[in-house]
Amino acid sequence: MTQRETREWPLRRLMTEVVGSGHKSAEDMSRPQAREAMARIFEGDPAETTLGAFWLANRWKRNTPEELAAFTDVMREESVETAVPDCDPVDCGANYDGKHTSALLGVAAGLVAAAAGTPVVAHSGDRVPTQEATAYKHVLDELGVRTDLPPAESAAMVDDVGFGFYYQPNFNPLVDGLYDRRAEMGVRTFINTVETLANPADADVHLGSFYHLAFAKRIVDTFGEMDSQDVGRVIMFQGLEGYDDIRPGTTVVAEYDRDRTGEDGGEGGAEDGDDGAFTDYEIETATYGMDFEREDLAVDDVAADSARLTEEVLTGERDDDFADAVVLNAALRVYARGDVGNIEDGLGLARSAIAEGGAQDRLARLREF
């Protein structure tokens, strides 16, 4: 079914006949139904009450990988403007609604990874519902980096610096246009999930975060169901404040690799299939000689303090818990792309990138871009 032909599933009908009959009796949408729903949302077709009810019903029901893939495919077809760097980066799809209490380490980690030879892409909006907290854009703004870029310039930034930022209003305007309706909801919806899967650089590796392991498996399966992109490697982890920063102590990691079987995979259990392996395991910060707790990474002003810490770590002025957390997150990005065989090797590259001045140089180039 094409989106402009024979459409018969307005959101009100999907509510009454499919998703809105309650937690136990609600049914899942077919791919054509989910595609039509997303297309109608972008067209502004549903009334505000109907759209809010539809989003809430899907939150209660929990979307299937097929539904999430259909939503994402329509978003990529109708809204997302991709711009592909030459360098094949890691796509960091952190939650767009940001962090409240702990330092945002992804900018520093991305620049250290870039200096170590692993290009990284980050993307976010500006005070996205529901938390409307600090995201990548706000730390970059504090550092004096241009963030309001068209996608082609974002891709050029990645190739020039090794780290680049894509700004949601410019590469995904239809989702950005849902801001007011999302803010009125007061709770997260499936839009909060699919916007992180936009992949504006068409990267082959996705790095994201989750609150529960089952969600990570759902995202891996979602990538497998998509028609609009072909991602071969996915690493999801239980991030600090749900963001793409490794938690102090124990962090659960879920890893999918299309080209690997479980026998040569990670440290935990693996599920083999014709299309690769899904593995889950734990990262212990103490394993790497790092002794810090969640409260040690807390800051008063997430945007300003994260920017200051980024500069101090990258210039070598700071050698403490924040520096350890940055190099660990950088190592995970290096490992995610397959540039090293394990996180410990990635740590060595990350520390060298700082000690030899490469990370500081990447920050200078980012500011000059």
Side-chain angles (χ1 to χ4, degrees):
M1 182 189 76
T2 63
Q3 288 305 299
R4 301 298 179 254
E5 298 174 2
T6 324
R7 298 201 307 171
E8 54 181 286
W9 287 98
L11 263 64
R12 189 172 186 275
R13 185 182 176 197
L14 284 169
M15 279 292 302
T16 57
E17 298 183 28
V18 184
V19 302
S21 58
H23 181 67
K24 294 184 178 180
S25 58
E27 297 180 8
D28 297 323
M29 289 176 282
S30 66
R31 184 181 293 268
Q33 288 172 334
R35 284 187 58 91
E36 181 172 338
M38 194 67 164
R40 287 180 179 273
I41 290 170
F42 282 153
E43 292 168 2
D45 177 39
E48 290 187 12
T49 301
T50 303
L51 178 57
F54 180 76
W55 275 340
L56 197 57
N58 278 274
R59 179 180 170 90
W60 286 336
K61 180 187 77 66
R62 297 184 182 177
N63 290 114
T64 65
E66 185 177 48
E67 290 170 336
L68 291 171
F71 298 149
T72 306
D73 283 342
V74 172
M75 176 184 70
R76 295 254 304 171
E77 293 161 10
E78 299 198 6
S79 181
V80 174
E81 180 182 344
T82 59
V84 184
D86 295 328
C87 61
D88 191 20
V90 174
D91 172 74
C92 291
N95 290 326
Y96 278 23
D97 57 355
K99 299 178 76 173
H100 280 293
T101 60
S102 60
L104 194 153
L105 306 173
V107 174
L111 288 165
V112 172
T118 298
V120 172
V121 161
H123 44 97
S124 78
D126 188 0
R127 306 297 175 188
V128 169
T130 54
Q131 295 193 93
E132 300 185 357
T134 300
Y136 272 107
K137 172 181 167 45
H138 309 115
V139 178
L140 291 165
D141 286 343
E142 288 284 343
L143 285 166
V145 176
R146 293 173 59 217
T147 55
D148 191 0
L149 301 172
E153 286 195 51
S154 296
M157 175 186 281
V158 183
D159 282 327
D160 183 69
V161 179
F163 175 89
F165 175 75
Y166 288 67
Y167 185 36
Q168 186 187 55
N170 296 340
F171 77 83
N172 197 356
L174 294 182
V175 167
D176 183 65
L178 295 171
Y179 178 93
D180 289 340
R181 289 189 169 195
R182 294 171 66 186
E184 286 294 323
M185 281 294 296
V187 295
R188 291 184 177 186
T189 71
F190 61 75
I191 302 296
N192 289 82
T193 298
V194 300
E195 68 187 351
T196 68
L197 309 180
N199 194 7
D202 264 346
D204 186 54
V205 179
H206 174 80
L207 184 80
S209 61
F210 62 84
Y211 286 100
H212 305 289
L213 183 60
F215 179 79
K217 183 63 166 67
R218 196 181 315 161
I219 295 303
V220 167
D221 291 342
T222 296
F223 276 111
E225 292 281 349
M226 282 187 210
D227 295 326
S228 60
Q229 54 181 308
D230 183 19
V231 172
R233 185 163 163 83
V234 180
I235 292 186
M236 306 279 292
F237 60 94
Q238 203 168 19
L240 186 59
E241 292 190 70
Y243 218 68
D244 59 353
D245 296 327
I246 294 174
R247 292 184 179 192
T250 301
T251 294
V252 178
V253 180
E255 181 176 331
Y256 167 78
D257 194 320
R258 183 175 52 206
D259 300 324
R260 194 191 69 202
T261 64
E263 295 178 356
D264 59 359
E267 304 169 37
E271 298 178 19
D272 288 327
D274 294 336
D275 298 321
F278 177 86
T279 309
D280 62 89
Y281 52 93
E282 293 181 348
I283 293 175
E284 297 278 355
T285 50
T287 301
Y288 307 109
M290 298 179 182
D291 182 21
F292 54 86
E293 304 295 334
R294 180 176 182 139
E295 54 267 24
D296 295 325
L297 302 181
V299 292
D300 295 325
D301 185 322
V302 176
D305 290 340
S306 297
R308 175 178 52 80
L309 291 165
T310 294
E311 186 158 18
E312 291 173 354
V313 170
L314 268 54
T315 58
E317 297 174 37
R318 179 178 287 268
D319 184 16
D320 59 2
D321 296 335
F322 289 104
D324 282 345
V326 167
V327 297
L328 182 56
N329 280 280
L332 184 63
R333 284 150 175 76
V334 176
Y335 170 73
R337 190 170 178 261
D339 292 334
V340 291
N342 55 64
I343 292 173
E344 190 167 1
D345 288 346
L347 283 169
L349 291 178
R351 290 192 174 105
S352 295
I354 295 173
E356 296 170 7
Q360 181 178 2
D361 176 68
R362 299 290 169 150
L363 176 58
R365 287 164 61 180
L366 186 67
R367 283 169 158 164
E368 292 168 359
F369 183 84

